[in-house]
């Protein structure tokens, strides 16, 4: 009997005697399939025009067209060429008759009256074969439809990716254009403010001089913002200039530049900062872009730890099996970890602009550069207990310049003490003194 999840198939019974058809129905009804009657070869051929059958039970002797002739006609039609035929005969089987039946395409030859159990078992085999074929054809159709749907979705995704890339390019071009166009009026404002200070500064009262200083300070801040906008816009379409990067030298260069920049721009005494800089593994990447990453992370750490006494910055890195991981830890105000997902979004800020300067694109630029290198970024923090910002880059080329692949294997909090810090890397000692004095030259 057919399984509950098995498709129902058709069985064609051909006999010119009504009693024989009733007998076949009684035998085959327990199989639970659709039983179709035909009382002549012509009627059987007509049924085959409309339906497919799992098996045909065909009487040999019929008045208008005998079973052999009907079988030959059935075999001549492409649709029913492979349909199994079981001949039923009420006369004694002879070798000639059996040969003629098998030559006509029969798969079996049974005597009437057929033994019910034998007939059912033979028919059931063909039912299972037909059900399996139907199920297979259904699976093929479903997979073809799924493949077509997948192809359609891929084409749609490709179109949307193309549109998104085009929109991003237009947005980058727009940001670059706006940033570039803003520079001219800002330069004029600052120029006229400086000219006014030079020519009329001694004639201004204290309040007027304060207003003039505020104009200059705000103008310089706006100039830095425009520069950050322009840098952020250029990241989207600037190709990578890959090469081996000495991360130790790069970090120290960035700190030196920020120190000098802070002293020149702010014109005030800088404060003492305790640095803990471990040996960093080298990596393959774009040196200029990676300098931008370090600049933003270090500036960020300095800015948010400037209220600490003293500010303490830890810079560390380690070469793992397939990537180099770097991190910058500070002892600043930190942030609520539940909002960490907003840190690297453009123009997103977790602190008020009145407390900490910035427009919220520094960390977004970091993420953009690191992803462009095929890496990843993340951050950890607790409010009031500092923060650690990580980035990882594929370790295509590693080494610390002395043939040793791994840098210091210390964790994020290692070497966070004050004063001079010594970090061991591959047997070589790196002295990181704490006499670097600086204020952040840029902000997040």
């Amino acid at each position: 009997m057919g399984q509950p999840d098995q498709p129902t198939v058709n069985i064609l019974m051909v006999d010119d005697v009504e009693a024989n058809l009733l007998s076949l129905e009684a035998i085959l009804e327990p199989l639970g399939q659709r039983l179709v009657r035909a009382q002549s070869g012509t009627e059987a051929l007509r049924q085959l025009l409309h339906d497919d059958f799992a098996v045909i039970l065909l009487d040999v002797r019929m008045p208008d067209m005998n079973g052999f002739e009907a079988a030959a006609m059935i075999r001549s039609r492409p649709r029913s060429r492979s349909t199994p035929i079981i001949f039923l005969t009420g006369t004694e089987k002879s070798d000639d008759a059996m040969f003629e039946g098998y030559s006509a395409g029969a798969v079996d030859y049974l005597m009437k009256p057929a033994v019910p159990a034998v007939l059912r078992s033979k028919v059931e085999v063909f039912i299972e074969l037909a059900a399996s074929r139907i199920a297979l054809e259904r699976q093929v159709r479903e997979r073809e439809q799924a493949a077509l749907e997948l192809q359609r979705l891929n084409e749609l995704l490709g179109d949307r990716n193309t549109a998104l890339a085009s929109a991003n390019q237009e947005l980058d071009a727009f940001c670059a254009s706006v940033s570039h166009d803003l520079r001219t009026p800002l330069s004029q404002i600052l120029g006229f403010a400086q000219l006014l200070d030079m020519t009329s500064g001694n004639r201004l009262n204290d309040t007027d001089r304060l207003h003039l200083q505020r104009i200059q300070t705000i103008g310089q801040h706006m100039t830095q913002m425009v520069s950050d906008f322009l840098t952020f816009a250029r990241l989207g379409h600037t190709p990578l200039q890959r090469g081996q990067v000495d991360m130790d030298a790069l970090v120290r260069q960035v700190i030196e530049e920020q120190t000098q920049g802070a002293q020149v721009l702010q014109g005030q005494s800088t404060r003492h900062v305790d640095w803990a800089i471990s040996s960093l593994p080298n990596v393959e990447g774009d040196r200029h872009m990676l300098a931008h990453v370090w600049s933003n992370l270090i500036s960020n750490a300095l800015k948010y730890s400037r209220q600490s006494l003293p500010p303490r910055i830890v810079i560390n890195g380690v070469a793992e099996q397939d990537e180099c991981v770097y991190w910058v830890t500070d002892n600043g105000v930190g942030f609520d970890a539940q909002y960490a997902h907003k840190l690297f979004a453009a123009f997103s800020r977790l602190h008020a602009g009145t407390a900490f300067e910035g427009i919220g694109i520094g960390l977004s630029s970091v993420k953009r550069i690191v992803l462009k290198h095929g890496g990843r970024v993340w951050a950890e923090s607790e409010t009031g207990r500092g923060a650690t910002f990580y980035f990882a880059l594929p370790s295509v080329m590693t080494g610390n310049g002395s043939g040793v692949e791994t840098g210091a294997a210390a964790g994020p909090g290692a070497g966070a003490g004050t004063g001079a810090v010594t970090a061991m890397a591959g047997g070589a000692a790196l002295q990181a003194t704490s006499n670097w004095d600086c204020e952040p030259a840029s902000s997040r």
Side-chain angles (χ1 to χ4, degrees):
M1 184 175 294
Q3 300 300 322
D5 58 344
Q6 199 176 58
T8 300
V9 300
N10 301 318
I11 299 173
L12 180 59
M13 305 174 298
V14 186
D15 200 303
D16 60 319
V17 179
E18 179 71 19
N20 291 338
L21 292 174
L22 290 173
S23 176
L24 289 175
E25 281 187 345
I27 294 172
L28 300 177
E29 189 175 6
L31 297 179
Q33 308 302 315
R34 178 171 175 262
L35 305 177
V36 180
R37 291 186 181 190
Q39 290 187 291
S40 67
T42 302
E43 187 178 351
L45 293 173
R46 190 180 300 115
Q47 293 289 349
L48 286 164
L49 292 175
H50 306 292
D51 296 305
D52 294 321
F53 293 90
V55 63
I56 300 173
L57 304 177
L58 184 57
D59 185 24
V60 173
R61 297 192 178 277
M62 292 182 293
D64 62 337
M65 180 189 300
N66 64 38
F68 301 140
E69 294 171 340
M73 292 291 294
I74 292 171
R75 286 286 183 266
S76 67
R77 296 180 176 183
R79 182 173 177 177
S80 57
R81 183 170 296 159
S82 59
T83 304
I85 298 175
I86 297 178
F87 278 122
L88 300 174
T89 180
T91 60
E92 185 178 351
K93 293 191 292 185
S94 64
D95 292 340
D96 292 340
M98 291 178 63
F99 178 75
E100 186 177 1
Y102 288 124
S103 297
V107 296
D108 211 339
Y109 204 106
L110 299 178
M111 291 291 296
K112 293 180 182 179
V115 178
V118 173
L119 181 59
R120 272 198 301 268
S121 65
K122 290 180 179 291
V123 171
E124 195 167 12
V125 170
F126 296 110
I127 291 173
E128 292 177 358
L129 288 175
S132 298
R133 185 186 72 252
I134 293 171
L136 181 60
E137 290 174 349
R138 182 183 300 163
Q139 290 178 4
V140 170
R141 287 194 301 270
E142 290 174 352
R143 292 185 180 183
E144 287 177 347
Q145 292 175 354
L148 290 174
E149 181 65 14
L150 181 61
Q151 181 180 359
R152 187 187 68 81
L153 292 176
N154 284 335
E155 291 174 353
L156 180 61
L157 180 61
D159 293 341
R160 291 187 176 179
N161 283 339
T162 301
L164 180 60
S166 177
N168 284 336
Q169 289 179 353
E170 292 178 1
L171 181 60
D172 289 342
F174 173 75
C175 290
S177 176
V178 170
S179 300
H180 184 271
D181 292 344
L182 284 175
R183 282 184 166 181
T184 300
L186 279 174
S187 298
Q188 293 174 348
I189 291 172
L190 286 174
F192 283 116
Q194 292 173 359
L195 182 61
L196 180 62
D197 189 20
M198 293 172 57
T199 60
S200 305
N202 55 352
R203 289 180 291 176
L204 300 176
N205 58 37
D206 292 342
T207 302
D208 292 337
R209 274 195 295 270
L210 179 60
H211 291 164
L212 183 58
Q213 289 174 0
R214 286 178 176 174
I215 291 173
Q216 292 175 315
T217 301
I218 294 172
Q220 291 169 354
H221 179 61
M222 283 294 296
T223 300
Q224 184 61 49
M225 289 175 61
V226 170
S227 178
D228 291 343
F229 269 122
L230 193 57
T231 301
F232 182 76
R234 287 172 176 169
L235 290 176
H237 54 78
T238 302
L240 294 177
Q241 302 295 326
R242 288 187 176 273
Q244 189 173 14
V245 180
D246 184 341
M247 286 297 211
D248 284 329
L250 183 59
V251 166
R252 295 182 182 277
Q253 176 187 332
V254 168
I255 293 175
E256 184 68 29
E257 290 174 351
Q258 289 207 0
T259 302
Q260 295 174 355
Q263 293 170 347
V264 172
L265 289 176
Q266 297 178 16
Q268 57 185 9
S269 60
T270 57
R271 293 173 303 169
H272 181 72
V273 177
D274 285 334
W275 295 91
I277 308 172
S278 298
S279 181
L280 304 175
N282 294 346
V283 74
E284 186 180 87
D286 187 310
R287 191 179 190 278
H288 177 73
M289 288 192 179
L290 293 179
H292 193 72
V293 169
W294 284 115
S295 178
N296 275 285
L297 293 181
I298 293 171
S299 174
N300 200 64
L302 288 167
K303 178 173 64 175
Y304 288 96
S305 62
R306 66 190 177 196
Q307 297 175 358
S308 302
L309 296 175
R312 185 168 59 252
I313 309 298
V314 178
I315 300 176
N316 212 332
V318 60
E320 298 183 346
Q321 183 176 2
D322 56 354
E323 64 181 3
C324 295
V325 182
Y326 307 92
W327 60 91
V328 178
T329 300
D330 63 66
N331 63 340
V333 297
F335 59 85
D336 191 336
Q338 66 176 319
Y339 300 113
H341 63 283
K342 295 183 178 180
L343 281 171
F344 298 97
F347 312 111
S348 177
R349 291 174 53 82
L350 301 187
H351 300 88
T354 55
F356 298 97
E357 68 280 2
I359 58 174
I361 62 173
L363 291 179
S364 180
S365 298
V366 168
K367 179 179 179 180
R368 206 169 191 182
I369 292 172
V370 172
L371 293 182
K372 201 177 183 74
H373 280 76
R376 56 196 180 97
V377 293
W378 69 101
E380 298 174 354
S381 178
E382 291 183 29
T383 303
R385 303 189 64 179
T388 301
F389 287 85
Y390 302 85
F391 69 97
L393 301 173
S395 54
V396 178
M397 296 175 60
T398 58
N400 58 10
S402 60
V404 182
E405 290 190 358
T406 17
T418 60
V421 178
T422 302
M424 302 299 296
L430 172 66
Q431 187 73 16
T433 59
S434 63
N435 59 357
W436 300 58
D437 296 324
C438 72
E439 288 282 347
S442 60
S443 60
R444 179 166 59 184

